[in-house]
Amino acid sequence: MRTSRIAALAGLAGIAASATLSFTALGTGTAANAAEGNGRPASYLLEGDPSAQGGSKFEGIGVDQESGRFYVSEVTGGEIQRGSADRAQAEEWLAGDGTDGRYTARGITVDDEGRVYIAGGPNGTGNDRPDLWVYSPEGKLLAALRVPDNNAFLNDVAIGPDGAAYFTNSNDPTIIRVAEGADGWQATEWADGSSLITPVEGFNLGGIVLSQDRSAFVVAQGTTGQLWRFSVATGEVSEIDTDGANLRNADGLIAKGRDLAVIRNFDKQLVHLELNPSATSAELVSSRATDPDRVFTTGKLLDGRLLLVDSHFDEQTAQGPYEIVTARMPR
């Protein structure tokens, strides 16, 4: 079992004192840290699934700013857990292990209506299972869809300016658009970046966020350490100049205005970039080590705090506690 499982986010303190997006270390469970979080927990416990082969390993997180809820996806089984910003313990919201055809789950996000979108990773590869799901805030299944690509590995998802959900594909340089239309819910290939993006062995397109001016999606390619810009208007792809930043194993992306945090999972680094408004280029602000005992995958902002998923991906058999760790945002 790893040590210091309830430890603070080491190395995140003062990631950029002059920037609008910065991180400071937080402990867990003390009165002082509770005060820093306005009485909210400094970390959140997830329920482990004792039946999960290899233990419970979590990856994606989505947040509902209006309700203060967050949703976390389990890779080993496809369970979805739901927590609240003011409660230290999350609980199972959707069962996995074949529920609605879901045996694994990756990226997850929430739209303005509280609907929850779940990326299935390789769930539908080589079989007829769904590649993604959409649920109502009450947990009602709204859609379980296949995508046009039979080799899809749907990794992460973001809501576009049009209200549709856009899923990245780690196997092919494509983005899938999911929306409800006159004929019901549909998944279509929205953009193909193969003119510039060359997939290599491993996880390719992953994290996805909108630029500050909402004109483009910023997408990470973890295998090569590159960021790609997909125009919202046309789907056209171009490479983002990242000022020489090392972004190998880039996983989750978190955007606040022009600031972009890049989680480098197995490298255990958090990189802070400042993007120009249309995300054609970025300036490297800093790179800091994260907790050496954790492999963070994705993160989201909720009520001004950054919530990071501790995946346990570095353990052959994951052991608890399973946690979401928070970092304080500047006021």
Side-chain angles (χ1 to χ4, degrees):
M1 183 182 296
R2 292 177 291 179
T3 60
S4 304
R5 298 294 303 133
I6 314 294
L9 271 171
L12 289 184
I15 189 169
S18 62
T20 58
L21 177 60
S22 62
F23 306 91
T24 54
L26 283 180
T28 58
T30 69
N33 289 325
E36 283 186 332
N38 294 323
R40 297 166 299 185
S43 65
Y44 298 93
L45 286 173
L46 304 172
E47 291 182 351
D49 180 0
S51 67
Q53 185 176 3
S56 287
K57 298 182 180 181
F58 297 92
E59 181 170 5
I61 184 168
V63 301
D64 185 341
Q65 300 290 348
E66 184 172 342
S67 68
R69 292 172 175 165
F70 61 88
Y71 300 82
V72 183
S73 59
E74 185 196 43
V75 172
T76 49
E79 175 184 320
I80 307 299
Q81 298 204 16
R82 185 173 70 180
S84 176
D86 58 359
R87 295 187 59 207
Q89 178 70 59
E91 299 174 343
E92 179 184 292
W93 184 58
L94 300 175
D97 300 321
T99 301
D100 299 328
R102 189 177 58 259
Y103 291 86
T104 185
R106 308 289 169 141
I108 186 167
T109 200
V110 183
D111 68 12
D112 288 343
E113 297 183 28
R115 295 178 296 199
V116 180
Y117 298 77
I118 303 167
N123 191 79
T125 301
N127 54 61
D128 59 357
R129 298 172 186 164
D131 295 301
L132 65 95
W133 302 263
V134 186
Y135 288 89
S136 73
E138 296 75 32
K140 177 183 177 182
L141 178 65
L142 302 177
L145 303 175
R146 298 277 298 176
V147 301
D149 187 345
N150 289 325
N151 187 41
F153 186 114
L154 297 191
N155 189 316
D156 207 351
V157 53
I159 304 300
D162 60 351
Y166 292 79
F167 291 76
T168 56
N169 184 354
S170 286
N171 284 348
D172 291 318
T174 57
I175 295 180
I176 304 298
R177 181 181 184 271
V178 173
E180 184 179 21
D183 298 323
W185 288 90
Q186 295 183 331
T188 58
E189 184 180 291
W190 172 74
D192 182 350
S194 59
S195 61
L196 286 181
I197 303 172
T198 301
V200 297
E201 185 177 356
F203 296 99
N204 288 275
L205 299 190
I208 178 172
V209 293
L210 273 173
S211 62
Q212 182 188 30
D213 66 2
R214 301 171 66 83
S215 69
F217 289 105
V218 177
V219 179
Q221 185 178 7
T223 49
T224 64
Q226 292 170 281
L227 293 183
W228 300 97
R229 181 187 189 275
F230 284 82
S231 167
V232 165
T234 66
E236 182 180 358
V237 63
S238 57
E239 186 174 359
I240 299 172
D241 179 358
T242 57
D243 194 25
N246 183 353
L247 301 179
R248 181 187 63 179
N249 285 328
D251 199 341
L253 302 179
I254 308 101
K256 181 182 180 183
R258 292 175 57 181
D259 293 292
L260 180 72
V262 182
I263 301 171
R264 296 177 57 204
N265 49 33
F266 285 102
D267 289 275
K268 301 183 180 181
Q269 294 280 320
L270 187 65
V271 179
H272 177 197
L273 301 173
E274 185 176 300
L275 293 161
N276 66 0
S278 58
T280 58
S281 64
E283 178 182 349
L284 174 61
V285 178
S286 63
S287 180
R288 293 288 187 272
T290 56
D291 189 331
D293 290 329
R294 303 179 190 265
V295 175
F296 294 117
T297 48
T298 54
K300 291 285 173 64
L301 288 169
L302 178 61
D303 292 341
R305 296 190 304 163
L306 181 60
L307 275 57
L308 298 169
V309 180
D310 182 9
S311 66
H312 292 255
F313 281 176
D314 57 340
E315 299 178 12
Q316 184 172 357
T317 300
Q319 301 181 49
Y322 305 103
E323 293 175 286
I324 302 299
V325 180
T326 69
R328 181 171 58 85
M329 298 297 295
R331 303 191 191 284

